[in-house]
């Protein structure tokens, strides 16, 4: 039987950490190991880890960021497979068993699965991520610069040997975070990506709700483009040096362009909205029209909604932006 480690990377999430650890320990796959890496927490997280005793392994390190935690974990892992579980998320009891069924059925570098979106209290919102399945050949599209649909960090299981062809990655400056970017897209250059068509865990959104454009817990909208552009450049260098693979100088990702769209038109004046759409929307529109993962219906619907940002009525424009950017806003409308 192949062994799996659930690695829980934590920094100052004491209020959620025990729940994450318990969900990893509750897995019904017998060869599941749990490793908790604490990245210099100051909020009592380490006392929580100690309470689990020998049921978990732990690595207590100085604060260095998520990338440093991934680098160290991948270096010391002694199992064939790994799931990186964020310390504010959870796995359902059968998650590892289902993932290992997919690994056993074929030669995969990664198995991804849906995550149900939870609010800050852990209550389900009715939404899930991602909404699209990855293509049969993620590598081919990635070589052309298209970032394939993937869940956040906690919704991915990896072959450790595949990860070691990508990691370690640089840890400095803005690259302290976003380790899952290199894992998610790097391993697709190494091997096949398989997808489980059901939710196997929960993704906690701390400010869950449809009244905001935010749908993430990390970088602010205005910092996301800079960070992801730098990560793509670093991944290109890694692919060239370690895999002898040449990635496109530029990449296409609707999630990133959506952040730019929100920054440009949300709560903006009519003149500012028109100016952004006329001058700066080309990449945003390209990731809709040329998107290889979307149906024609979805493309047309997104284009029509986007055009409604040009109406003179600001509340309608802002509602449309929230509807496009935040899946929870759509749930609110559907529930009325």
């Amino acid at each position: 039987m192949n062994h799996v480690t659930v690695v829980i990377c934590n920094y100052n999430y004491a209020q959620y950490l025990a729940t994450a650890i318990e969900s990893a320990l509750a897995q019904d796959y017998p060869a599941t190991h749990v490793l908790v890496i604490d990245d210099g927490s100051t909020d009592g997280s380490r006392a929580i880890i100690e309470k689990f005793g020998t049921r978990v392994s732990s690595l207590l390190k100085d604060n260095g960021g998520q990338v440093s935690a991934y680098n160290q974990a991948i270096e010391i892992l002694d199992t064939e497979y790994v799931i990186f579980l964020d310390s504010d998320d959870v796995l359902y009891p059968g998650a590892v068993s289902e993932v290992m069924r997919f690994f056993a059925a074929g030669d995969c570098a990664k198995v991804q699965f849906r995550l149900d979106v939870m609010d800050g209290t852990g209550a389900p919102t009715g939404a899930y991520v991602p909404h699209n399945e990855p293509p049969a050949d993620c590598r081919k599209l990635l070589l052309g610069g298209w970032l394939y649909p993937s869940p956040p960090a906690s919704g991915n299981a990896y072959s450790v040997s595949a990860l070691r062809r990508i990691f370690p990655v640089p840890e400095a400056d803005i690259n302290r975070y976003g380790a899952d970017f290199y894992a998610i897209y790097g391993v697709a250059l190494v091997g096949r990506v398989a997808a489980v068509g059901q939710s196997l865990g929960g993704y906690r959104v701390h400010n869950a709700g449809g009244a905001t454009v935010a749908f993430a817990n990390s970088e602010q909208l205005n910092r996301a483009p800079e960070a992801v552009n730098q990560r793509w450049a670093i991944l290109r260098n890694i692919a060239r040096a370690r895999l002898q693979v040449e990635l496109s100088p530029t990449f296409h990702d609707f999630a990133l362009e959506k952040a730019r769209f929100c920054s440009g038109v949300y709560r903006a004046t009519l003149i500012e909205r028109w100016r952004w759409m006329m001058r700066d929307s080309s990449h945003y529109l390209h990731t809709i029209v040329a998107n290889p993962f979307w149906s024609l219906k979805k493309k047309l619907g997104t284009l029509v909604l986007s055009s409604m940002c040009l109406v003179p009525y600001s509340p309608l424009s802002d509602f449309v932006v929230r509807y496009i950017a935040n899946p929870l806003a759509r749930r609110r409308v559907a529930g009325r």
Side-chain angles (χ1 to χ4, degrees):
M1 174 176 283
N2 288 319
H3 288 242
V4 185
T5 300
V6 179
V7 176
I8 302 172
C9 297
N10 176 71
Y11 176 67
N12 283 348
Y13 268 173
Q15 67 268 45
Y16 308 122
L17 180 58
T19 301
I21 295 174
E22 288 163 359
S23 78
L25 290 172
Q27 294 302 305
D28 60 13
Y29 186 79
T32 302
H33 309 265
V34 180
L35 168 63
V36 184
I37 300 182
D38 187 78
D39 191 39
S41 293
T42 59
D43 67 343
S45 290
R46 296 190 173 186
I48 293 172
I49 297 169
E50 290 175 0
K51 291 180 180 179
F52 286 91
T54 58
R55 299 173 67 198
V56 304
S57 301
S58 62
L59 172 61
L60 309 180
K61 60 187 287 296
D62 293 335
N63 181 254
Q66 186 194 40
V67 171
S68 71
Y70 270 54
N71 281 342
Q72 291 193 33
I74 292 166
E75 181 182 1
I76 66 175
L77 282 171
D78 59 2
T79 58
E80 296 92 344
Y81 300 97
V82 63
I83 296 174
F84 282 95
L85 176 65
D86 285 348
S87 56
D88 54 342
D89 296 340
V90 297
L91 294 176
Y92 298 159
V96 174
S97 293
E98 186 66 11
V99 160
M100 292 310 299
R101 187 175 69 82
F102 273 72
F103 275 123
D107 184 19
C108 300
K110 188 188 100 162
V111 175
Q112 67 179 53
F113 47 90
R114 289 189 335 206
L115 296 172
D116 292 326
V117 178
M118 310 180 298
D119 66 17
T121 69
T125 65
Y128 60 84
V129 287
H131 289 98
N132 300 95
E133 295 293 323
D137 190 349
C138 294
R139 185 179 190 274
K140 181 179 179 180
L141 286 168
L142 194 59
L143 291 175
W146 283 97
L147 303 189
Y148 67 88
S150 174
S154 301
N156 301 278
Y158 304 95
S159 159
V160 174
S161 61
L163 284 176
R164 285 178 174 156
R165 298 188 64 186
I166 305 299
F167 286 80
V169 301
E171 302 174 7
D173 302 325
I174 200 172
N175 209 49
R176 283 168 51 91
Y177 307 100
D180 50 326
F181 180 93
Y182 302 103
I184 288 168
Y185 300 112
V187 296
L189 299 172
V190 176
R192 189 170 65 87
V193 173
V196 180
Q198 66 188 82
S199 296
L200 299 182
Y203 171 61
R204 192 185 306 264
V205 177
H206 297 197
N207 297 309
T212 174
V213 296
F215 188 66
N217 299 323
S218 53
E219 289 146 339
Q220 298 175 351
L221 285 177
N222 58 357
R223 293 193 61 194
E226 177 189 357
V228 180
N229 282 327
Q230 180 171 331
R231 288 168 195 149
W232 180 256
I234 292 171
L235 182 60
R236 286 189 72 219
N237 290 334
I238 291 172
R240 183 184 301 115
R242 301 179 191 171
L243 306 177
Q244 291 73 56
V245 169
E246 192 65 37
L247 289 173
S248 167
T250 58
F251 65 94
H252 313 290
D253 178 34
F254 179 72
L256 177 61
E257 296 305 328
K258 185 170 62 175
R260 290 194 175 107
F261 169 70
C262 293
S263 297
V265 304
Y266 189 58
R267 293 180 176 171
T269 66
L270 180 62
I271 292 175
E272 289 169 338
R273 283 180 269 139
W274 271 89
R275 182 182 295 122
W276 189 90
M277 292 296 286
M278 296 300 292
R279 293 182 180 179
D280 303 317
S281 64
S282 59
H283 293 293
Y284 172 74
L285 295 175
H286 179 75
T287 59
I288 297 172
V289 174
N291 197 307
F293 317 114
W294 288 10
S295 66
L296 178 60
K297 180 181 178 180
K298 183 171 182 177
K299 292 178 182 181
L300 291 174
T302 307
L303 288 172
V304 170
L305 283 171
S306 300
S307 69
M308 294 176 68
C309 294
L310 301 177
V311 300
Y313 187 53
S314 296
L316 176 60
S317 173
D318 291 341
F319 170 77
V320 167
V321 176
R322 291 193 298 269
Y323 189 91
I324 292 173
N326 189 340
L328 300 180
R330 301 166 211 166
R331 288 290 172 178
R332 286 185 67 192
V333 172
R336 287 178 180 170

